[in-house]
Amino acid sequence: MASPNDDMFGGFDMNSIDYVLPDDINGDLLDGNFFFVGNIPTKEEYPGPFNFTLTMDTNGQKWVYSKPLEQVFIGMNKVLVLNFHTELQLPLDEGYYIRALPVYSNNEHINVPVCRCTFHAFEDDPQSQAHHTPDKCRCEEFNNVGHVVRAQCRDAIYCFDKHSGRHSVMIPVNRPQPGSDKIAIPYSFACKTSCQGGMQRRAIHLIFTLETIDGSILGRRILGIKICSCPKRDKERQEKDFYADKLGENQSKQRLPQSNNEPKTKKIKLEHLELLQPPKAPVDGDLKREIKDFKKMFDDFSSSLNSLMSMHSKMLQKMKRIDELQRSFTF
Amino acid sequence: MASPNDDMFGGFDMNSIDYVLPDDINGDLLDGNFFFVGNIPTKEEYPGPFNFTLTMDTNGQKWVYSKPLEQVFIGMNKVLVLNFHTELQLPLDEGYYIRALPVYSNNEHINVPVCRCTFHAFEDDPQSQAHHTPDKCRCEEFNNVGHVVRAQCRDAIYCFDKHSGRHSVMIPVNRPQPGSDKIAIPYSFACKTSCQGGMQRRAIHLIFTLETIDGSILGRRILGIKICSCPKRDKERQEKDFYADKLGENQSKQRLPQSNNEPKTKKIKLEHLELLQPPKAPVDGDLKREIKDFKKMFDDFSSSLNSLMSMHSKMLQKMKRIDELQRSFTF
Amino acid sequence: MASPNDDMFGGFDMNSIDYVLPDDINGDLLDGNFFFVGNIPTKEEYPGPFNFTLTMDTNGQKWVYSKPLEQVFIGMNKVLVLNFHTELQLPLDEGYYIRALPVYSNNEHINVPVCRCTFHAFEDDPQSQAHHTPDKCRCEEFNNVGHVVRAQCRDAIYCFDKHSGRHSVMIPVNRPQPGSDKIAIPYSFACKTSCQGGMQRRAIHLIFTLETIDGSILGRRILGIKICSCPKRDKERQEKDFYADKLGENQSKQRLPQSNNEPKTKKIKLEHLELLQPPKAPVDGDLKREIKDFKKMFDDFSSSLNSLMSMHSKMLQKMKRIDELQRSFTF
Amino acid sequence: MASPNDDMFGGFDMNSIDYVLPDDINGDLLDGNFFFVGNIPTKEEYPGPFNFTLTMDTNGQKWVYSKPLEQVFIGMNKVLVLNFHTELQLPLDEGYYIRALPVYSNNEHINVPVCRCTFHAFEDDPQSQAHHTPDKCRCEEFNNVGHVVRAQCRDAIYCFDKHSGRHSVMIPVNRPQPGSDKIAIPYSFACKTSCQGGMQRRAIHLIFTLETIDGSILGRRILGIKICSCPKRDKERQEKDFYADKLGENQSKQRLPQSNNEPKTKKIKLEHLELLQPPKAPVDGDLKREIKDFKKMFDDFSSSLNSLMSMHSKMLQKMKRIDELQRSFTF
DNA sequence: CAACATGTAGATGCACATGTTA
DNA sequence: TAACATGTGCATCTACATGTTG
Ligand SMILES: [Zn+2]
Ligand SMILES: [Zn+2]
Ligand SMILES: [Zn+2]
Ligand SMILES: [Zn+2]
């Protein structure tokens, strides 16, 4: 995870927080599109060959940034300007893009796409026409109804990946950059992290990737974000909790398995709409009802399968680790 | 508004709280259908010619009733059994009905129909097909998607008034009642009073009317209700506030509190309701094909799953073996 | 499920309870070994071509039988004599067997084999040598350590099915039967239904199948059983509950989906041994620990997969039903 | 037995309950190692030359302490932090340890070692390899399988005395203590007092001894403890019984109650303990192969699972489509 | 921004299930 | 067989998360 450091870009933007990480592993593995493990996007920072970095100006903003939590707190539909920068000049022969993709922070939900909630989506597309068929997205025709993350600029490209079902937004960076390759992108967010029938109080991270037109990934940066009504209050409370936790932790130095940048886990009620639907008697062998029932079963099954997948992906990691360990043994 | 009085139905049901009002004013004025003032239903109690009354058994229920507030507090989708009774025998030559209609308590919203929220409606009708055209309601085809108030019995009739845009539910009472005309109706509620994009924290009342088939109103009873997650807590708080207010009487500084239930003066007759009975029709060829396709996919999936299981069981064995081996080694 | 009727085998055994069912469906489907749906044995009664029946003498026994519950209550290691009978003479050219197989009553656990608990198994095989490898069972060498159901006769054959991991016991019936083919088998049970680390308070049924030597199934009978310390007390309590439930049910005639002979569901704590194991710090990249961790993850995954399978099998049923319904539609 | 006295460590920790006993009898008799009478450890308090004391903070803990019973009630695997203290500075030339040893309270069982139950031990060592030979203990290799009492700190030393067959845990206290020699040890307990095949509802006491490296005993403190599921309830009941008994004093008709803690008179020295440090050894070739195999299987499984997921996602689409179709039809 | 409204998750408590003792 | 011991499941409560109001 990024370790902010306020004074880089010497003399350039003193209030910018820097997210540059020391060159890390696994960058080389990723040269295709999203690097998915069963629909799970990577949340690893990756400066890449051009040292792709993310900074932000935290002064006088309407949002707040928590250093210890490495997280932005912002109101819905407010603008968050982020600065992206590459240390080395990008070759100009190609088109480059910065993609912003939201993912759930918690591993339990990381495999489900982050979408708008029914309530907010209803305003833009009351009849769910934009996503009538699951592998097709007509968001553009409906005010980008499905996109939580938006870029407030003309040249934003709203994307939908039909395999993962995820929405993201891309900004081209191929305009000539004077001096250093720095670009400021004004983002906004069209749902709260707490939206019922949407993110449902599940924390999210934003994944920013520097990509070529063909989807090759040249850098990746991660940023935690909470979209809520009282950013300041929530930031303060969470920081307080964070420090309290750290104190309690120090005492007995507990090893928490919280992999990735998964925050302290907390069970979330996934409003699977209590199906206490009126206990109707079997009116008559009604096909319709049966299909409906099956649909419910199938939905349950699917969510079960999802959690299975998440377990599986954890096993995959572990297996990798074991493999490494084992190889390194001398025998 | 109902004022409970514990000793009616002498020796009938000692745990029933009785809502009979001493014959009150203006009852005689109302002998026709609903009385609206620009889509505003009447919230006046009216025993009518048969002394129509509402009672309930408050013992050992999952909901709670606040006497001072004259309000029921209940969880979503929980059942509230209400007892209706007429002192005089209803003539048997006609059909009678008891209608339940929710209205906002506050005058500011009393003219807007009480509907389900986008979130909960989405479950039953993601494409808002049931209310595609404003003066038409196809709720019946969509699990009564728009109805907040439901009756958990077979013979419930779900109504929609196209002039007011209001949903209500009716129960026929024309079956011969032995002894007294008492009927117990199990209601449930498919949204919370706080539902975002629905009732939005606006208090509501239920209006129960005894009607003939042609819509003439023979009695009316009112009951405040709050559908929420913590009925007990909320009842207690609101009662506390209620008493606190009564003390400081003059400065009523509450937010948007539970009611302005003043009797309206001008009233208008409610349209006759369209009783949509779900017309049975044959399954469509398209659907049939889709189902067939799905079945095929499902079969494939199942066999795949089976082979997965067999792989899994082999893994289980292997894992056991590894475990043994590992344990037997000291390293 | 069997409907006991005390006076069959006219003059033969007046106290025998009869489990004959009117010839039922699906018998013809089963002519192989166990009829598994993803490791789920069938719990349907099937008299078969010889009208295979199960009776018992309920007088003066140390165990008790509850007619309404269709269940035997018996102490651990006590003997339960069951009488099996075929109406038609079995052809003598072949060997026949009666197999007794215990399964969990509740669908949630029906796919996991019924085994002895760690505590009781420990006495016979402290080092778990009998089931060192999962597809091999050396129970015979260890006092039949894994068998909950035992037959107290010399010619009992203790079986293990490596695919399902289930233990069962078979008795040959090929000795010449005078008059009617009746055989009395004395069973006993080596664990309680409540055994921690074994059945863990999960209700079970016994499945008795009449089989040929090659595993063809000629009849099947089902019997609920609870092995406990106070059979009488528990029977009485459960009957009381049963009747109380029936009363409450009649009132509002709720449609419970409790398929098969699954009793009223009750969540069971599957002592997955709270792994609050001392939060050890990562001493050093210890392969051993990693493997152990992986094992835990794998175990969780496996149990998840199991429940997935159970959901899947329910979906299978539903799909079948839909298919039938759909075919029967005229369009 | 400890008798709490609230005001020691004047001004030190007001919430700490202090267990210092006024120098009691026979303390001076014991200046060597454990004192056994045929494998019976001493349960006498002994402040020793440094006034060794035991205190605990009973505020806001997840466990409860009963003063009248002089006993802690705690859930399994929960942490109990105990504070040990010596009034006089320990000479720094030697290593000192605090040992925690559980013993049965009742004289009838005091001579049998307190061990983990078969059920809980099974998790860590299904084949009972750790205690294959009675005078050898390889607990360390099996997650300390035999130890009921554990210390949640890195430097815990798990001991086994082959003569008595008892497991205990020691914590070194030889690090320089600023000011007073106070040390807080977080203990946890890996079986319930009621565990079948283990403690089997037999009450236990913990014996804490301050020892030198060579086993000389410099102090001893005793604490009753019950590890159970409902600490609060059980504490209250036992206190009630305790007071009831005190009233009816004479007829002590309790079942197998919490203690006969009478001082034993004859004592014997405990053997020197073998401190098994887990010897690191290379991985075995067999294991390596198995892991490799498993990895392969797992990879296959994973890819299978992936394809399953893709099938599943197609089914999801189809299901959605069916749902739409079905909704749009009135049948 | 403070006070409040209201949903959620985890803790607590209670009634029951079930073994044990006498 | 009755009284008790003790684990379990569920109902309830409490603290908190988070939106809303003024
Ligand atoms: Zn939203
Ligand atoms: Zn709603
Ligand atoms: Zn057992
Ligand atoms: Zn145990």
mmCIF file of all heavy atoms in Angstrom, chain D residues 192-203:
data_model
loop_
_atom_site.group_PDB
_atom_site.id
_atom_site.type_symbol
_atom_site.label_atom_id
_atom_site.label_comp_id
_atom_site.label_asym_id
_atom_site.label_seq_id
_atom_site.Cartn_x
_atom_site.Cartn_y
_atom_site.Cartn_z
ATOM 1 N N LYS D 192 -12.530 -27.218 27.491
ATOM 2 C CA LYS D 192 -13.434 -26.822 28.559
ATOM 3 C C LYS D 192 -13.271 -27.784 29.724
ATOM 4 O O LYS D 192 -12.884 -28.934 29.537
ATOM 5 C CB LYS D 192 -14.878 -26.849 28.076
ATOM 6 C CG LYS D 192 -15.155 -25.787 27.031
ATOM 7 C CD LYS D 192 -16.549 -25.958 26.473
ATOM 8 C CE LYS D 192 -16.662 -25.218 25.157
ATOM 9 N NZ LYS D 192 -17.733 -25.749 24.317
ATOM 10 N N THR D 193 -13.610 -27.316 30.901
ATOM 11 C CA THR D 193 -13.543 -28.182 32.067
ATOM 12 C C THR D 193 -14.506 -29.357 31.906
ATOM 13 O O THR D 193 -14.357 -30.381 32.547
ATOM 14 C CB THR D 193 -13.925 -27.398 33.334
ATOM 15 O OG1 THR D 193 -13.606 -26.026 33.147
ATOM 16 C CG2 THR D 193 -13.173 -27.920 34.527
ATOM 17 N N SER D 194 -15.466 -29.166 31.012
ATOM 18 C CA SER D 194 -16.473 -30.214 30.855
ATOM 19 C C SER D 194 -16.141 -31.184 29.727
ATOM 20 O O SER D 194 -16.870 -32.132 29.488
ATOM 21 C CB SER D 194 -17.830 -29.570 30.556
ATOM 22 O OG SER D 194 -17.760 -28.869 29.335
ATOM 23 N N CYS D 195 -15.072 -30.961 29.021
ATOM 24 C CA CYS D 195 -14.774 -31.751 27.823
ATOM 25 C C CYS D 195 -14.815 -33.263 28.077
ATOM 26 O O CYS D 195 -14.069 -33.791 28.907
ATOM 27 C CB CYS D 195 -13.411 -31.375 27.254
ATOM 28 S SG CYS D 195 -13.459 -30.049 26.057
ATOM 29 N N GLN D 196 -15.644 -33.884 27.302
ATOM 30 C CA GLN D 196 -15.793 -35.334 27.368
ATOM 31 C C GLN D 196 -14.510 -35.988 26.845
ATOM 32 O O GLN D 196 -13.995 -35.594 25.818
ATOM 33 C CB GLN D 196 -16.983 -35.719 26.481
ATOM 34 C CG GLN D 196 -17.188 -37.187 26.261
ATOM 35 C CD GLN D 196 -18.116 -37.412 25.085
ATOM 36 O OE1 GLN D 196 -18.015 -36.744 24.062
ATOM 37 N NE2 GLN D 196 -19.016 -38.366 25.230
ATOM 38 N N GLY D 197 -14.017 -36.945 27.582
ATOM 39 C CA GLY D 197 -12.771 -37.569 27.176
ATOM 40 C C GLY D 197 -11.580 -36.720 27.546
ATOM 41 O O GLY D 197 -10.475 -36.956 27.062
ATOM 42 N N GLY D 198 -11.814 -35.733 28.391
ATOM 43 C CA GLY D 198 -10.732 -34.863 28.842
ATOM 44 C C GLY D 198 -10.951 -34.570 30.313
ATOM 45 O O GLY D 198 -10.962 -35.483 31.129
ATOM 46 N N MET D 199 -11.210 -33.323 30.631
ATOM 47 C CA MET D 199 -11.399 -32.993 32.043
ATOM 48 C C MET D 199 -12.730 -33.516 32.565
ATOM 49 O O MET D 199 -12.894 -33.711 33.761
ATOM 50 C CB MET D 199 -11.239 -31.484 32.240
ATOM 51 C CG MET D 199 -9.791 -31.048 32.060
ATOM 52 S SD MET D 199 -9.539 -29.291 32.297
ATOM 53 C CE MET D 199 -9.862 -28.655 30.644
ATOM 54 N N GLN D 200 -13.658 -33.726 31.691
ATOM 55 C CA GLN D 200 -14.926 -34.375 32.047
ATOM 56 C C GLN D 200 -15.629 -33.791 33.265
ATOM 57 O O GLN D 200 -15.982 -34.491 34.199
ATOM 58 C CB GLN D 200 -14.705 -35.860 32.286
ATOM 59 C CG GLN D 200 -14.219 -36.554 31.056
ATOM 60 C CD GLN D 200 -14.548 -38.013 31.058
ATOM 61 O OE1 GLN D 200 -15.165 -38.505 30.149
ATOM 62 N NE2 GLN D 200 -14.170 -38.728 32.113
ATOM 63 N N ARG D 201 -15.862 -32.541 33.240
ATOM 64 C CA ARG D 201 -16.593 -31.845 34.291
ATOM 65 C C ARG D 201 -15.883 -31.876 35.650
ATOM 66 O O ARG D 201 -16.523 -31.611 36.675
ATOM 67 C CB ARG D 201 -18.013 -32.405 34.422
ATOM 68 C CG ARG D 201 -19.014 -31.754 33.463
ATOM 69 C CD ARG D 201 -20.201 -32.622 33.250
ATOM 70 N NE ARG D 201 -19.809 -33.821 32.541
ATOM 71 C CZ ARG D 201 -19.699 -35.024 33.069
ATOM 72 N NH1 ARG D 201 -20.000 -35.219 34.327
ATOM 73 N NH2 ARG D 201 -19.298 -36.043 32.333
ATOM 74 N N ARG D 202 -14.638 -32.173 35.652
ATOM 75 C CA ARG D 202 -13.919 -32.144 36.920
ATOM 76 C C ARG D 202 -13.276 -30.782 37.114
ATOM 77 O O ARG D 202 -12.566 -30.290 36.225
ATOM 78 C CB ARG D 202 -12.847 -33.236 36.925
ATOM 79 C CG ARG D 202 -13.460 -34.634 36.981
ATOM 80 C CD ARG D 202 -12.396 -35.695 36.837
ATOM 81 N NE ARG D 202 -11.883 -35.775 35.459
ATOM 82 C CZ ARG D 202 -10.996 -36.674 35.052
ATOM 83 N NH1 ARG D 202 -10.515 -37.555 35.917
ATOM 84 N NH2 ARG D 202 -10.580 -36.696 33.799
ATOM 85 N N ALA D 203 -13.548 -30.173 38.252
ATOM 86 C CA ALA D 203 -13.011 -28.833 38.515
ATOM 87 C C ALA D 203 -11.490 -28.874 38.544
ATOM 88 O O ALA D 203 -10.888 -29.900 38.886
ATOM 89 C CB ALA D 203 -13.545 -28.316 39.841
#
